[in-house]
């Protein structure tokens, strides 16, 4: 990480010795999801900074038409406590209604990991809105309807074997996705979609998904994921570390003993 005139960000040099972010604002989102305070110090090569400096740069360089909004949205919903407006370094202003509207308008066929991170961003905004009233009444309703609709669609589109493909969101009226059908139906494609969707599902409360349907769906996904993980070599795990980490979280969660009826 390097200090800039806007705060703290990542070097644009991508090398083994100086890695960059795979997704824009991924570190900010991760810090926020781990509830790391803004005041937390960050040791740079020749100076000190803080998480607040990472947030400051992200806000300064953010714009609604950037290629990936998902991780910026998650980071902002974790740290920003007001609806807006916020102004970037280009003089453009935005509020959380604008951010949610842009996320809702984008096509799932162009999103990373089958669009699951887009849902994750909307869910993060939805929870932040409950704490800080970030959205207007109309946008709050639109966000919730999108989440409920897509989660219901996900449960219905799950295969009898327990997996999903990256085209899980598609219906008869959806445009043809750019990802190849071969990849979507491959074990790698199914691992990617199933691990992401199952982990997202298992964290949702009852106002967003039916809990009985959620439990059954996540357990079916875990039963499919277990042999997939067991069959992977160490080289394959390294190559597919992202979906493997999501899959492991799902399997570990499902394998924990449930609370008794009297204490649940």
């Amino acid at each position: 990480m390097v200090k800039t005139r806007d705060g703290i960000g990542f070097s644009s040099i991508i090398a083994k010795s100086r890695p960059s972010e795979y997704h824009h604002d991924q570190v900010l989102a991760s810090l926020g999801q781990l509830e790391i305070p803004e005041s937390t110090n960050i040791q740079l090569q020749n100076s000190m900074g803080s998480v607040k400096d990472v947030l400051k740069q992200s806000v300064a360089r953010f714009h609604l038409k950037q290629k990936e909004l998902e991780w910026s949205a998650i980071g902002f919903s974790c740290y920003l406590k007001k609806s807006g407006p916020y102004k970037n370094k280009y003089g453009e202003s935005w509020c959380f209604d604008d951010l949610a509207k842009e996320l809702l308008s984008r096509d799932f066929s162009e999103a990373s990991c089958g669009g699951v991170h887009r849902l994750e961003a909307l869910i993060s905004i939805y929870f932040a809105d409950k704490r800080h009233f970030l959205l207007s009444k109309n946008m709050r309703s639109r966000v919730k309807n999108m989440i409920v609709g897509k989660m219901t669609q996900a449960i219905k589109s799950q295969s009898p074997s327990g997996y999903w493909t990256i085209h899980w969101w598609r219906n008869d009226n959806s445009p043809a996705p750019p990802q190849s059908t071969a990849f979507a139906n491959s074990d790698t494609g199914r691992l990617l979609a199933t691990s992401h969707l199952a982990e997202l599902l298992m964290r949702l409360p009852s106002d967003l998904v039916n809990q009985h349907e959620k439990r059954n769906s996540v357990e079916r996904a875990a039963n499919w994921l277990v042999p997939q993980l067991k069959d992977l070599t160490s080289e394959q795990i390294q190559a597919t570390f992202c979906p493997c980490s999501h899959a492991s979280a799902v399997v570990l969660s499902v394998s924990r003993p449930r609370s008794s009826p009297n204490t649940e």
Side-chain angles (χ1 to χ4, degrees), residues 65-84:
K65 297 303 178 183
Q66 66 188 38
K67 183 178 179 181
E68 290 185 323
L69 292 173
E70 288 83 349
W71 289 268
S72 300
I74 293 169
F76 294 160
S77 63
C78 290
Y79 286 113
L80 301 178
K81 306 297 190 293
K82 297 180 181 179
S83 59

Side-chain angles (χ1 to χ4, degrees), residues 59-230:
V59 172
R61 300 189 178 192
F62 173 78
H63 59 93
L64 289 168
K65 297 303 178 183
Q66 66 188 38
K67 183 178 179 181
E68 290 185 323
L69 292 173
E70 288 83 349
W71 289 268
S72 300
I74 293 169
F76 294 160
S77 63
C78 290
Y79 286 113
L80 301 178
K81 306 297 190 293
K82 297 180 181 179
S83 59
Y86 297 95
K87 184 175 288 187
N88 63 21
K89 63 185 292 184
Y90 316 109
E92 302 166 335
S93 295
W94 61 273
C95 64
F96 272 93
D97 264 22
D98 298 324
L99 179 53
K101 182 179 179 181
E102 183 65 26
L103 283 165
L104 290 169
S105 70
R106 294 196 176 188
D107 199 312
F108 268 68
S109 66
E110 300 172 355
S112 302
C113 301
V116 178
H117 293 298
R118 184 155 305 160
L119 274 179
E120 184 182 14
L122 289 168
I123 290 166
S124 186
I125 292 173
Y126 176 80
F127 285 137
D129 175 64
K130 283 181 171 289
R131 299 190 300 270
H132 305 298
F133 304 101
L134 302 177
L135 301 174
S136 64
K137 183 177 179 180
N138 176 61
M139 188 56 66
R140 182 178 301 123
S141 178
R142 288 182 60 189
V143 167
K144 182 176 182 179
N145 288 341
M146 164 67 92
I147 296 169
V148 172
K150 289 299 182 184
M151 289 293 89
T152 301
Q153 185 177 358
I155 290 172
K156 290 181 177 178
S157 67
Q158 188 176 18
S159 75
S161 300
Y163 67 79
W164 283 280
T165 74
I166 56 173
H167 300 156
W168 64 271
W169 47 265
R170 193 181 182 200
N171 56 42
D172 293 338
N173 298 320
S174 301
Q179 302 98 335
S180 71
T181 302
F183 174 74
N185 291 320
S186 68
D187 285 341
T188 302
R190 290 173 179 177
L191 177 63
L192 181 74
T194 306
S195 61
H196 280 72
L197 266 175
E199 188 182 27
L200 189 64
L201 261 175
M202 72 183 191
R203 299 202 307 259
L204 295 187
S206 57
D207 63 328
L208 294 178
V209 66
N210 179 283
Q211 295 299 291
H212 176 71
E213 292 180 351
K214 176 186 86 169
R215 186 180 299 113
N216 287 341
S217 182
V218 172
E219 287 180 353
R220 288 166 55 204
N223 288 334
W224 183 83
L225 287 168
V226 168
Q228 304 301 314
L229 292 174
K230 284 184 175 180

Side-chain angles (χ1 to χ4, degrees), residues 14-15 38 42 108 158 165 201 219 245 255 259:
I14 302 176
E38 287 183 41
I42 295 176
F108 268 68
Q158 188 176 18
T165 74
L201 261 175
E219 287 180 353
S245 63
S255 65
S259 301

